[in-house]
Amino acid sequence: QIGPTYQAHQQTQIKKTIQQTRAMINIDFNEIFTYDNGKLYWKKKISYKIVIGKEAGYFSIKQNRHYVSCYGKPLARSRVVYAMFNGFSTKDIDHINRISSDDRIENLRAVTTRENGINTHLVINNKRNLPACVYFDPTNKKNHYYVRARVDGTKKVIGWATTPELAESLYKSYFNISI
């Protein structure tokens, strides 16, 4: 059962996403920024603090990514870069090489949240170097590795495998993902 604190947090996150989406839809980022190898530079003065030609944005250590403030709204630089080349996307913007501060256009792609979850770093306490969806069960004599995912809001074991690679391919085939 979901507690009231978690529900409030979820609603806050949804509101922030809606605000960012509304802010991004009507902006032509190519008029405001110049792109160069993953970085954005100011092209248009939209605030008195802006210096044309200077690198735009700031780095958030907590989130390990770059942001740019555009008309008072903080936007992830990766979303802005993707929008400049491909138009606005409501999907998640994934960093293919898993480095969230690398915002080069060739490193960005629009994916579903489920696909983005596959391309994640290993969990810090993951001593076996398993993909995020694969778990280890030493009690199972034949198939030590199992695949677990959240399907329609509930955790579900998708299947068992003898190696982590087979388990990960089982996950991808279950969700028809070709990453």
Side-chain angles (χ1 to χ4, degrees), residues 78-107:
S78 55
R79 283 200 158 278
V80 174
V81 169
Y82 187 85
M84 287 174 74
F85 287 86
N86 302 302
F88 175 75
S89 176
T90 56
K91 290 185 169 187
D92 290 357
I93 304 302
D94 181 37
H95 293 83
I96 297 167
N97 68 2
R98 298 179 181 171
I99 300 171
S100 58
S101 59
D102 182 3
D103 295 328
R104 293 173 296 125
I105 189 61
E106 58 269 15
N107 186 43

Side-chain angles (χ1 to χ4, degrees), residues 14 39 49 56 80 90 102 126 132 143 145 175:
I14 291 168
K39 296 182 179 181
K49 293 180 181 180
V80 174
T90 56
D102 182 3
N126 185 347
N143 300 314
Y145 301 93
F175 290 111

Side-chain angles (χ1 to χ4, degrees), residues 13-23:
Q13 293 297 77
I14 291 168
K15 285 179 185 176
K16 283 182 182 178
T17 304
I18 291 170
Q19 287 174 346
Q20 279 196 340
T21 304
R22 285 184 184 151

Side-chain angles (χ1 to χ4, degrees), residues 60-129:
S60 169
I61 295 170
K62 186 177 180 181
Q63 307 242 329
N64 193 32
R65 67 178 58 237
H66 291 271
Y67 287 88
V68 289
S69 291
C70 197
Y71 298 109
K73 301 282 184 210
L75 304 170
R77 183 173 74 181
S78 55
R79 283 200 158 278
V80 174
V81 169
Y82 187 85
M84 287 174 74
F85 287 86
N86 302 302
F88 175 75
S89 176
T90 56
K91 290 185 169 187
D92 290 357
I93 304 302
D94 181 37
H95 293 83
I96 297 167
N97 68 2
R98 298 179 181 171
I99 300 171
S100 58
S101 59
D102 182 3
D103 295 328
R104 293 173 296 125
I105 189 61
E106 58 269 15
N107 186 43
L108 303 175
R109 63 181 171 184
V111 295
T112 64
T113 303
R114 183 173 284 145
E115 290 169 327
N116 198 13
I118 291 173
N119 192 25
T120 57
H121 283 290
L122 300 173
V123 181
I124 292 169
N125 64 358
N126 185 347
K127 293 180 176 75
R128 296 184 182 277
N129 292 335

Side-chain angles (χ1 to χ4, degrees), residues 45-59:
K45 197 170 176 102
I46 59 171
S47 166
Y48 71 93
K49 293 180 181 180
I50 292 172
V51 177
I52 294 176
K54 186 179 176 191
E55 187 177 352
Y58 58 94
F59 183 75

